[in-house]
Each structure stands twice: as C-alpha cells, then as structure tokens.
C-alpha cells in the first residue's frame, strides 16, 4: 500500500521503518536535520524489533496521496500538520497516534471527509539522532474510536499495521486513552529531573510524587464518568482500587510500570523533547488532567504543579534534583 507517516520522530519513525520493512510504499514528513538525514542515509531503526534502514520518500509535507496515513506528530503540532496535508488526507483512513485525549477529536473535526481512528502506541522508542530511532521496549499498539466496538476503519488499519508490529483493534478506545494517560504520568518527572523513568520510580521521594499524581489523575477520570480500558496490566477494576488506596499501597502501580519497561533506560517522550530544545506536550498529558478536573468542577493541584515544573525546565534548561522536586511538591504530596 501507499502509506503516509506524518511526523517521523520516535513513534512515527518506528511505524514508518517497520511498514517499509514488510514491503509497503512509505512516504514520511519531517523537518530540518531529521529530513536531511532521512533523505541522505535513510531512516535507521534498531532496538527491540531489530535493525532496518528504510529508504523512504521524505518531505516537509506529503507529496502523493496515500491509501492510509498515520499522524504521529506531538499533540501540539497536530492541527497544523493536518491542515498542511489536508488535501491528500481527505477521504482516506487517518490513524492518529498521539498521547493525551484531544488528538482524535481534533482530527475528526478538521477532516470530516476522512475515517479518523485513534492509536495508542505502548512501545517505547527514542529519537537518538537525526535519522535514527531505537526501540527500547516492545509492546502492542491499540486502535479504535469512541466507547463502543472499534469501527471498520480501525479494524482494517490494525490488520495492516499488525503485519509490521503487534497491533489490535479494541473496544472502549476512550477508556484505553484514559488508561494511557495514567501510564503517561511517568513522563513529567524524567523531564523535570533528567533521569530515566526507571530511575524516577526507583527513587523513593520521586515515586511518592508519581504515585500521588496518578492517584489524582485516576480520581479525575472517575469524576468524568470514565470506564478505564485494560492496557499494560492496568484496568478499571485495579484503578478503582488504586484511586482509593493509601499511597504506600498505590505505589505498586509505578513499580509494575518499571518492571514492564525492562532494563534499557527509558527517558520518556517529554524528556526527549527537553533534550532537543523543543517544547513538550506536557499540556496534553498532566495538563489534560487539569483541564478534565476543571470540567468536572474539581481541582488537580498535583498535576498542575508538575505541568508548571516541566514548563520551568523548558524555560531555564536546568533540571531539578530529586531533593528539590520533593521539597517543591511536599505541600501537595505529604
């Protein structure tokens, strides 16, 4: 098939390289040094799913009409990317592979003539240098839309993607998005400290902050009427217990997350953006919890504070030590 991948960072680069490896005609969009590297030397993938160099067509926008497209930009860049490629996306299936809650809804509004479905990429990958992506943890990708069964477009897109990497169409995609939002609570603290996700969870002080933030996020989800989906060992039944559990017991969730990450250091997507000097999508992660709390007539002070700390590091370029984070968060976490 002719497949377009819009946004060729860690997640999009993995999808593009693996689809190329199984024989699809892949075209990607990229910018700057990443675009130059792909044009010169191909898109190089290594790590958990093996090594492959994809010789793919690349430009700042799609140049030919694909039969299927994957939108893999950061959440804050999605609307501009859709508008820049809208003529070639109209009328085809567009798979929105993004963190947060807003991406699929936004794509559906901007592309009313397309079948837009969501995807949750649970694998971890790092954008190491221009033209090179490394998969640090292999895992499934889940596709769907809404609260019910997956639409036909999601089933077909999952079938195509599954030939390249494990992919499944699921029921209750909205609930799965919320569960992924809970998993993504791990992103803020590495971005604030410069530590890997495993190091954050291994630090008792930071693990307490992480546990408090995910408990707060979980409770906000329930206040919004969410029925959490089942991914990465988390499901609605477990999260209902976690939301009410004492913190010493709820910290079992971060410890479960660390076991699933394996031993290869996982910086998380937010820290990767910080290291590249780019704006992060923290407003669509912890910031999304704050927005949803407001919609429920509640507050989410822990997630608000973490969002502010990430923005502080974005502005200063200086990471905080675990002790500094613990001290700054103490009034909210103790």
């Amino acid at each position: 098939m002719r497949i377009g991948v819009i946004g060729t960072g860690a997640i999009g680069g993995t999808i593009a390289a693996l689809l190329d490896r199984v024989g699809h005609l892949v075209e990607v969009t990229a910018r700057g040094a990443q675009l130059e590297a792909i044009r010169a030397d191909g898109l190089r993938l290594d790590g958990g799913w093996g090594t492959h160099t994809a010789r793919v067509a690349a430009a700042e926008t799609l140049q030919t009409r694909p039969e299927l497209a994957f939108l893999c930009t950061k959440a804050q860049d999605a609307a501009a990317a859709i508008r820049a490629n809208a003529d070639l996306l109209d009328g085809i299936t567009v798979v929105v592979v993004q963190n947060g809650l807003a991406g699929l809804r936004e794509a559906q509004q901007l592309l009313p003539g397309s079948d837009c479905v969501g995807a949750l990429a649970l694998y971890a990958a790092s954008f190491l240098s221009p033209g090179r992506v490394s998969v640090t943890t292999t895992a499934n990708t889940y596709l769907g839309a809404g609260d019910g069964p997956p639409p036909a477009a999601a089933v077909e897109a999952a079938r195509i993607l599954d030939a390249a990497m494990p992919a499944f169409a699921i029921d209750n995609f909205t609930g799965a998005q919320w569960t992924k939002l809970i998993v993504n609570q791990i992103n803020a603290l590495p971005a604030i400290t410069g530590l890997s996700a495993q190091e954050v969870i291994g630090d008792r002080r930071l693990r307490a902050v992480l546990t408090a933030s995910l408990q707060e996020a979980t409770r906000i989800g329930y206040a919004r009427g969410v029925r959490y989906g089942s991914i990465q060992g988390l499901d609605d039944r477990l999260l209902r217990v976690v939301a009410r559990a004492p913190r010493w017991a709820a910290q079992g969730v971060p410890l479960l997350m660390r076991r699933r990450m394996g031993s290869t250091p996982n910086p998380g997507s937010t820290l990767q953006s910080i290291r590249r000097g780019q704006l992060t999508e923290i407003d669509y992660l912890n910031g999304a919890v704050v927005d949803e709390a407001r919609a429920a007539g509640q507050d989410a002070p822990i997630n608000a504070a973490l969002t502010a700390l990430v923005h502080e590091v974005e502005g200063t370029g200086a990471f905080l030590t675990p002790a500094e984070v613990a001290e700054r968060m103490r009034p909210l976490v103790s």
Side-chain angles (χ1 to χ4, degrees), residues 205 236 245 289:
R205 299 159 297 183
D236 191 75
V289 177

Side-chain angles (χ1 to χ4, degrees), residues 179-263:
T179 305
K180 179 72 184 302
L181 191 67
I182 301 305
V183 173
N184 277 334
Q185 287 283 312
I186 188 57
N187 270 276
L189 287 165
I192 294 165
T193 62
L195 301 174
S196 70
Q198 291 95 326
E199 289 172 319
V200 162
I201 297 171
D203 185 286
R204 177 181 52 81
R205 299 159 297 183
L206 297 178
R207 187 167 67 247
V209 174
L210 173 59
T211 303
S213 74
L214 69 84
Q215 283 188 291
E216 179 181 82
T218 302
R219 288 193 289 265
I220 294 302
Y222 283 122
R224 294 288 284 151
V226 170
R227 177 174 60 87
Y228 286 95
S230 178
I231 59 173
Q232 288 195 318
L234 301 180
D235 58 24
D236 191 75
R237 182 177 178 181
L238 175 60
L239 288 172
R240 195 170 293 278
V241 172
V242 167
R244 301 168 179 168
R247 193 156 300 141
W248 64 264
Q251 72 175 343
V253 172
L255 292 171
L256 171 65
M257 292 163 62
R258 184 174 67 170
R259 286 197 298 273
R260 287 180 170 271
M261 288 176 197
S263 59

Side-chain angles (χ1 to χ4, degrees), residues 78-327:
I82 290 172
R83 291 188 182 100
N85 294 279
D87 288 346
L88 295 178
L89 298 178
D90 184 48
I92 69 168
T93 296
V94 178
V95 181
V96 181
V97 192
Q98 283 176 350
N99 289 322
L101 304 173
L104 176 56
R105 182 170 60 248
E106 186 173 56
Q108 289 169 333
Q109 292 170 349
L110 292 172
L111 295 169
S114 299
D115 287 323
C116 295
V117 299
L120 302 174
L122 302 185
Y123 59 89
S126 294
F127 177 11
L128 299 176
S129 60
R132 183 186 171 199
V133 174
S134 183
V135 176
T136 55
T137 304
T138 61
N140 298 336
T141 296
Y142 295 114
L143 291 81
D147 303 326
V155 173
E156 178 61 11
R159 183 191 66 78
I160 294 164
L161 186 59
D162 188 54
M165 59 197 297
F168 305 89
I170 60 169
D171 296 346
N172 186 24
F173 184 77
T174 300
Q177 281 184 294
W178 268 92
T179 305
K180 179 72 184 302
L181 191 67
I182 301 305
V183 173
N184 277 334
Q185 287 283 312
I186 188 57
N187 270 276
L189 287 165
I192 294 165
T193 62
L195 301 174
S196 70
Q198 291 95 326
E199 289 172 319
V200 162
I201 297 171
D203 185 286
R204 177 181 52 81
R205 299 159 297 183
L206 297 178
R207 187 167 67 247
V209 174
L210 173 59
T211 303
S213 74
L214 69 84
Q215 283 188 291
E216 179 181 82
T218 302
R219 288 193 289 265
I220 294 302
Y222 283 122
R224 294 288 284 151
V226 170
R227 177 174 60 87
Y228 286 95
S230 178
I231 59 173
Q232 288 195 318
L234 301 180
D235 58 24
D236 191 75
R237 182 177 178 181
L238 175 60
L239 288 172
R240 195 170 293 278
V241 172
V242 167
R244 301 168 179 168
R247 193 156 300 141
W248 64 264
Q251 72 175 343
V253 172
L255 292 171
L256 171 65
M257 292 163 62
R258 184 174 67 170
R259 286 197 298 273
R260 287 180 170 271
M261 288 176 197
S263 59
T264 303
N266 181 357
S269 60
T270 309
L271 176 55
Q272 290 183 59
S273 294
I274 292 280
R275 287 175 171 168
R276 290 195 296 270
Q278 298 175 342
L279 292 178
T280 73
E281 55 184 3
I282 196 65
D283 290 331
Y284 295 84
L285 300 175
N286 299 77
V289 177
V290 178
D291 291 341
E292 293 292 326
R294 190 177 300 114
Q298 299 186 19
D299 295 318
I302 298 170
N303 278 269
L306 289 172
T307 302
L309 286 177
V310 173
H311 284 312
E312 180 180 318
V313 174
E314 283 178 331
T316 65
F319 295 118
L320 304 181
T321 67
E324 289 172 328
V325 174
E327 183 61 28

